[in-house]
Amino acid sequence: MSSDIIKDVRSLLEFHGKPKKEVYLDSENSGLIFPEALEALIEAYKNTGYGHPSITHKIGWESYEKLYESSSILANVLNCNLEEIVYTHNGTEANNLAILGLAESYKERKKILVSSIEHLSVIFPADYLQKYGYKVIKIPVDKEGFVNIDFINENIDKNTLLVSIAAVNHEIGTIQDLKTIVDVIKDKDSEIFVHTDACDALGKIKMDLRKLNIDLASFSSHKVYGPKGAGALYVKEGIKLEPIIYGQLSTQRLWPSLENIPSIIGFSKAIEILNSNFEYYTLKMINLRDMLIKNIIEEIEYVLLNGPEGNKRSPDNANLSFLYCEGEALTVELSLNGIYVSSGSACTSRVLEPSHVLLAIGRKYEEAHGSLLMKVTPFHNEEDIEYVIEKMPGIISRIRSISPIKPGGEKNV
């Protein structure tokens, strides 16, 4: 981070100003938090939960008790044991621990399958293992993002260590039939491990780890409207993982150093709220999501929906490609109107590369470049979505008016 960039950012903020109305639809990257989860985090720092849970004094014991209570909430919602939960600081760390830690423990098998639309925190550690002799196979998906189960069945064998498929895709919201996928894999070879990146599934669909018979699952606090700085990996009892970082141990062997107890307390509070209001929040988000998608497609020409429709799509996800537009230009123009979204893949937008997820479902480069990812939350209401619907046509029209390509393939001059 340089001082020159800070000057530029400050100039941008001064020019931007504060719009009269703001609608934040970028919870994929970072976002809003339940007030009760924030209060729980602050309470931990102020009173109970700020100590080191492994130190033998009152403050440490209080933190240990809070950690236990938080783990009990998470285990109850996921239907697993407390001992099967390993805390990390985010979903990326959990995904890395699952893949690299498993490979370090079970070296006899050298093949890994991941879906071609996985989060980069799954794809990158899997690809990294290729330098140690692992063969990594990317599972193809159809135009809605559903993995090809026949391909999985044909490509797993006695050399396969792991299959990793996200329960809900972070970018286009595809809800995979995870139970069928796990059954197909286990029926062929029960010794193949199955991991799911469930960061976008928790709180959006019901997750019962016992019924799914999943081996490893990753979770992130900020994806459930909890504080940043907390994540978790479920490791089924009996599975051996090796640590991938080393240092002073606290309460857990697989992720050394001090647990972020205040954030974990906020994480569990957010899960508790979501679980207690699951039907209400999911139905609310579905209605807002469909209202947003339907009206934009009806009001604006040359718009494509990325991912499936209806109950096969995550309740919060709206991903649309606006043809003849450049996504980054759209995010800036929307921001000036108080609407905050991300373009393409949220995690690759800064390098201006088209989303690998959108390319995998068959979108052309120009279609992927013109995409916007918007996520509704329990905090939004119809007035927020109406504001976006009202502003969007004019914004799209302006960006298209300055685009070098216009409908029909002609160039703007």
Side-chain angles (χ1 to χ4, degrees), residues 304-353:
L304 304 173
L305 175 66
N306 297 313
E309 297 181 76
N311 59 10
K312 294 182 178 180
R313 185 182 196 95
S314 180
D316 64 334
N317 184 290
N319 189 319
L320 297 161
S321 283
F322 296 86
L323 307 186
Y324 316 110
C325 288
E326 201 283 312
E328 293 299 312
L330 277 178
T331 62
V332 174
E333 189 74 12
L334 286 163
S335 179
L336 290 169
N337 286 272
I339 302 166
Y340 309 113
V341 304
S342 59
S343 171
S345 171
C347 293
T348 57
S349 58
R350 287 183 179 79
V351 294
L352 297 177
E353 290 292 330

Side-chain angles (χ1 to χ4, degrees), residues 13-190:
L13 288 171
E14 186 175 349
F15 170 77
H16 190 288
K18 183 173 176 57
K20 290 182 180 177
K21 182 172 178 60
E22 295 181 302
V23 182
Y24 188 83
L25 295 170
D26 193 19
S27 61
E28 168 58 21
N29 286 314
S30 178
L32 303 166
I33 177 173
F34 282 119
E36 297 91 339
L38 179 60
E39 288 173 11
L41 178 145
I42 293 172
E43 175 65 19
Y45 274 118
K46 288 172 65 178
N47 293 309
T48 307
Y50 58 86
H52 195 304
S54 294
I55 303 300
T56 53
H57 52 52
K58 173 177 172 288
I59 304 302
W61 296 329
E62 287 176 344
S63 289
Y64 189 87
E65 182 183 38
K66 287 293 182 184
L67 183 62
Y68 178 86
E69 291 173 357
S70 297
S71 299
S72 298
I73 292 170
L74 185 56
N76 181 56
V77 170
L78 296 174
N79 191 20
C80 68
N81 298 325
L82 276 68
E83 297 77 15
E84 294 173 313
I85 297 171
V86 179
Y87 287 107
T88 60
H89 297 100
N90 50 53
T92 290
E93 291 179 357
N95 285 336
N96 272 263
L97 176 59
I99 296 168
L100 300 178
L102 193 71
E104 188 64 29
S105 287
Y106 300 89
K107 297 183 178 180
E108 300 80 12
R109 297 186 175 211
K110 296 288 186 181
K111 184 192 284 190
I112 295 173
L113 279 74
V114 301
S115 90
S116 54
I117 59 171
E118 288 300 299
H119 194 277
L120 294 179
S121 61
V122 170
I123 290 178
F124 284 176
D127 285 347
Y128 170 79
L129 289 171
Q130 291 181 106
K131 69 168 63 175
Y132 298 103
Y134 286 81
K135 182 179 182 181
V136 177
I137 295 176
K138 305 288 169 56
I139 306 163
V141 296
D142 65 18
K143 63 181 181 180
E144 293 183 324
F146 294 102
V147 295
N148 186 325
I149 298 178
D150 290 337
F151 180 92
I152 297 171
N153 192 33
E154 291 165 4
N155 282 273
I156 54 176
D157 54 30
K158 292 296 181 186
N159 194 37
T160 303
L161 171 68
L162 171 70
V163 178
S164 181
I165 297 169
V168 173
N169 183 261
H170 61 291
E171 202 171 323
I172 57 174
T174 307
I175 300 173
Q176 304 288 350
D177 184 357
L178 202 56
K179 182 69 171 67
T180 297
I181 294 168
V182 174
D183 287 347
V184 167
I185 295 167
K186 295 292 185 181
D187 283 349
K188 189 161 185 178
D189 185 345
S190 61

Side-chain angles (χ1 to χ4, degrees), residues 271-294:
I271 291 171
E272 192 175 50
I273 295 169
L274 270 180
N275 192 55
S276 299
N277 302 278
F278 182 80
E279 283 76 18
Y280 172 73
Y281 281 146
T282 51
L283 181 60
K284 180 181 181 181
M285 288 191 286
I286 286 170
N287 289 334
L288 294 175
R289 175 202 70 187
D290 290 348
M291 177 182 173
L292 180 65
I293 292 173
K294 177 177 180 291

